[in-house]
Amino acid sequence: MTDTTIYSARKIITMNPSRPTASHVAVRDGKILAVGDLAELETWGNYRLDETFADKILMPGLVEGHAHKAEGTFWRHVYCGYFDRTDPSGKTWAGAQTMDVVLDRLKEADAKLDDPEAPLFGWSLDPIYMDNVRVTRADLDRVSTTRPIGVLHASGHIMNANTRALELGGYLKTGLNHPGIPLGDDGLPTGELFSPEVMTPVAALVGYDRTKADGDEDGLWDFARLCVRTGVTTVTDLAARLEPDGVAAMLRVTNDDKFPACVVPLKAFMGATAKDTVARAVELRDMSSDRLRLGRIKAFADGSIQGFSARMRWPGYHNGAPNGLWYTAPEQLAELYRLALAADIQVHTHTNGDEATEMVLDTIAPALRDTPHPDHRFTLQHCQLADAAQFRRMNTLGMCVNLFANHHFYWGDEHYRLTVGPERAMRMNACRTALNSNVPMSIHSDAPITPLGPLFTAWCAVNRRTASGRVQGDHEKIDVNEALYAITIGAAYTLHMDHEVGSIEVGKNADFAVLEDDPTEIGGENLKDVRVWGTVQGGRVFCAADL
């Protein structure tokens, strides 16, 4: 008979309403055989009792429904973020809270490079916290004029480049006419590049080649280490390129017996037709493995609110900034949705501004009339400014939503003060409205935009507290149990994986977050402080301290 291991725990939070808590869980062949007390589980026959978790809390392995593998990859480059942040090894890096500190950090990295023409890349720059200063190529030229330098903003939608990078990318010339390339008084680009379309030619030259990111095996391992440290057993990589070499690398890494997570990459709808993108997703679906789930698509409607590239309905941005950018035309999205529905391929769509959300709802409605699908679960990602009427439309259309709860903490003060103003800031990422509208909901970090950590994300949704300590939108708070649901079974549902993960019940994968503290008893105000021991993924145990 196959070996059975029974794990004891101080408490098991199952997220299964028919058996909300238990003291023991039996695991066989990487799946959950039974949940209950020891006497109940003993009826399954011979077993080995493992008391490793006797003083721990077990809950379903956390599911991060919107992240990017760059959360692992970027740590080989220069961290320029405003907030302190922990890397895959567990080291905490101090935030860079002025442009002088950012430039000093880049100069330090520059001094370590022997080749004066080698690229230099920084990430997570957040000028909105520095009086929304406009960073120019002249600023980065203070670091070097011989090597191409690029710094990606925290939003991931804007990059600053120095003169050399612009020159190599073919942008250092007059006559450019693109809303994503601001020009200076001299008619030349200032060095700010908005949108992936504009950034991509320069990004590859400064050390951030997104076309090769899928094949970064070390970065994928670092991503997985962060998953263990944060209790995550299923993690998305939204907007992957998924070219053949990259997929081969991802399969090679995730098939390693020591790899501790299931990765769910979504094929980016970018640089290809809707027909080719859907065909590729169908092809990828058949290549899936236990720890690499393929066959979904990520589309983009607009940009970033704090980067002023999101599309806003009237009255627009609170500070009078011009409206943001459309990343994909409605006609292209309409074709994508129609073809994906016909092929049973799920599409997640990035919308930040409320005008972008409205456009997607207007586009998907006729696609569903033409190609009905009873369980499509098309998901709006971020969807930060949706109002109650839009949530009601999502419900009617059978859509899901994955809200960016971390924004309350990281940019809530700036949204209130600068980007959208008090009223709209109070209802951003409207978790309560989503649930009241019966829209299936999850919440996310969008790592590396903000750090991976679903328990912190849950804290954000429960407390809606900004970095300055204000509560922003008390009426949109959710309770602890609702937040825990959103980072387990709720997120699994948006990925069509709720039959496999998201709760601890018979037949599902033996995926657990192993905690030192009980998130249901520590209090909502302390949810972010729950300590993570490690994870169990597919019945394999991973201790964060051993990484």
Side-chain angles (χ1 to χ4, degrees):
M1 180 177 288
T2 304
D3 289 343
T4 298
T5 300
I6 295 180
Y7 293 101
S8 64
R10 175 156 54 101
K11 180 180 178 182
I12 300 174
I13 303 166
T14 69
M15 304 307 295
N16 175 12
S18 69
R19 189 67 179 261
T21 61
S23 60
H24 293 75
V25 57
V27 175
R28 180 188 292 175
D29 294 334
K31 294 187 178 296
I32 298 166
L33 177 66
V35 186
D37 60 35
L38 184 58
E40 293 171 312
L41 272 54
E42 284 178 328
T43 63
W44 283 93
N46 295 333
Y47 66 90
R48 179 179 65 88
L49 182 64
D50 189 320
E51 297 188 328
T52 301
F53 309 132
D55 62 343
K56 310 294 187 218
I57 304 295
L58 298 184
M59 69 175 292
L62 306 182
V63 181
E64 173 52 84
H66 190 141
H68 303 269
K69 184 165 63 67
E71 173 76 339
T73 302
F74 278 178
W75 283 106
R76 295 201 298 280
H77 302 286
V78 183
Y79 177 59
C80 300
Y82 185 84
F83 294 91
D84 295 354
R85 191 155 180 169
T86 302
D87 70 15
S89 72
K91 176 182 176 180
T92 298
W93 293 74
Q97 299 192 343
T98 68
M99 272 309 301
D100 285 340
V101 174
V102 170
L103 294 174
D104 286 346
R105 194 167 288 182
L106 290 167
K107 289 174 182 176
E108 181 180 346
D110 170 78
K112 295 178 181 178
L113 297 174
D114 294 331
D115 183 353
E117 298 182 354
L120 179 61
F121 176 63
W123 61 286
S124 202
L125 178 66
D126 217 349
I128 200 167
Y129 274 110
M130 305 169 191
D131 295 325
N132 205 35
V133 63
R134 305 299 291 268
V135 183
T136 69
R137 57 188 171 91
D139 293 315
L140 297 184
D141 286 347
R142 291 162 56 190
V143 178
S144 174
T145 58
T146 61
R147 72 173 77 258
I149 299 174
V151 182
L152 189 68
H153 285 215
S155 70
H157 290 265
I158 306 168
M159 177 179 286
N160 284 100
N162 72 341
T163 299
R164 182 59 176 156
L166 293 172
E167 183 181 32
L168 292 173
Y171 285 161
L172 196 66
K173 57 187 177 182
T174 59
L176 293 174
N177 182 20
H178 192 290
I181 308 176
L183 305 178
D185 293 338
D186 57 1
L188 296 172
T190 63
E192 291 180 302
L193 304 174
F194 292 79
S195 84
E197 172 194 8
V198 171
M199 290 190 295
T200 297
V202 170
L205 300 170
V206 299
Y208 175 41
D209 189 346
R210 296 186 68 168
T211 64
K212 298 179 181 178
D214 294 344
D216 182 355
E217 298 189 19
D218 289 340
L220 187 52
W221 276 106
D222 280 342
F223 190 32
R225 291 183 183 98
L226 284 166
C227 288
V228 175
R229 293 189 184 280
T230 55
V232 173
T233 55
T234 301
V235 65
T236 50
D237 181 16
L238 265 73
R241 294 302 186 266
L242 298 181
E243 299 299 331
D245 288 348
V247 173
M250 296 176 90
L251 283 166
R252 186 162 52 248
V253 171
T254 57
N255 284 338
D256 191 304
D257 287 341
K258 295 181 181 179
F259 192 81
C262 175
V263 181
V264 186
L266 275 68
K267 169 69 176 172
F269 179 41
M270 189 178 296
T273 66
K275 181 179 178 180
D276 288 346
T277 301
V278 172
R280 177 58 174 160
V282 170
E283 181 183 24
L284 288 165
R285 181 170 56 192
D286 295 334
M287 299 171 64
S288 293
S289 65
D290 285 347
R291 292 192 289 275
L292 189 69
R293 300 304 179 87
L294 301 160
R296 298 165 180 82
I297 293 171
K298 165 77 176 298
F300 301 84
D302 67 342
S304 154
I305 297 172
Q306 73 273 23
F308 301 97
S309 57
R311 290 295 303 191
M312 308 285 285
R313 293 188 298 189
W314 187 90
Y317 285 103
H318 187 57
N319 69 341
N323 210 347
L325 303 174
W326 289 116
Y327 281 15
T328 309
E331 297 78 14
Q332 293 173 301
L333 282 177
E335 184 182 12
L336 177 71
Y337 294 152
R338 180 177 55 79
L339 293 173
L341 287 165
D344 195 23
I345 292 291
Q346 188 189 27
V347 179
H348 290 231
T349 305
H350 164 120
T351 70
N352 260 317
D354 50 3
E355 186 180 23
T357 295
E358 191 78 0
M359 183 270 277
V360 169
L361 295 174
D362 288 344
T363 303
I364 197 171
L368 282 167
R369 284 195 296 269
D370 294 342
T371 313
H373 194 301
D375 191 29
H376 60 84
R377 303 190 203 180
F378 279 24
T379 299
L380 293 180
Q381 292 283 350
H382 306 325
C383 197
Q384 295 200 73
L385 284 172
D387 62 16
Q390 291 176 324
F391 279 108
R392 288 190 289 268
R393 291 187 69 191
M394 292 175 217
N395 170 262
T396 301
L397 295 168
M399 299 188 72
C400 305
V401 68
N402 190 358
L403 298 173
F404 200 168
N406 284 21
H407 251 261
H408 303 312
F409 178 80
Y410 285 101
W411 292 287
D413 290 318
E414 302 308 310
H415 291 319
Y416 188 98
R417 178 184 70 88
L418 190 66
T419 66
V420 301
E423 181 181 353
R424 286 178 293 178
M426 299 287 274
R427 65 169 171 81
M428 287 181 75
N429 296 293
C431 293
R432 173 54 55 205
T433 298
L435 294 180
N436 289 350
S437 303
N438 294 317
V439 176
M441 183 199 76
S442 58
I443 51 180
H444 66 269
S445 68
D446 196 11
I449 309 310
T450 70
L452 182 68
L455 289 166
F456 178 85
T457 301
W459 174 85
C460 289
V462 168
N463 294 280
R464 295 183 64 95
R465 196 170 294 278
T466 70
S468 69
R470 291 187 308 106
V471 173
Q472 191 153 288
D474 189 74
H475 60 290
E476 289 292 352
K477 288 180 179 179
I478 58 176
D479 66 34
V480 169
N481 288 331
E482 290 167 331
L484 295 179
Y485 187 96
I487 60 174
T488 53
I489 195 75
Y493 183 88
T494 68
L495 299 171
H496 276 287
M497 293 181 68
D498 52 308
H499 61 297
E500 297 180 87
V501 299
S503 61
I504 299 177
E505 55 184 304
V506 61
K508 289 195 172 184
N509 295 347
D511 290 3
F512 314 134
V514 184
L515 311 176
E516 301 283 4
D517 309 294
D518 185 343
T520 66
E521 294 183 0
I522 198 171
E525 68 278 8
N526 299 314
L527 200 53
K528 64 180 175 59
D529 300 319
V530 171
R531 296 166 296 163
V532 177
W533 180 91
T535 60
V536 177
Q537 201 278 331
R540 300 164 304 135
V541 177
F542 299 93
C543 176
D546 296 336
L547 296 177

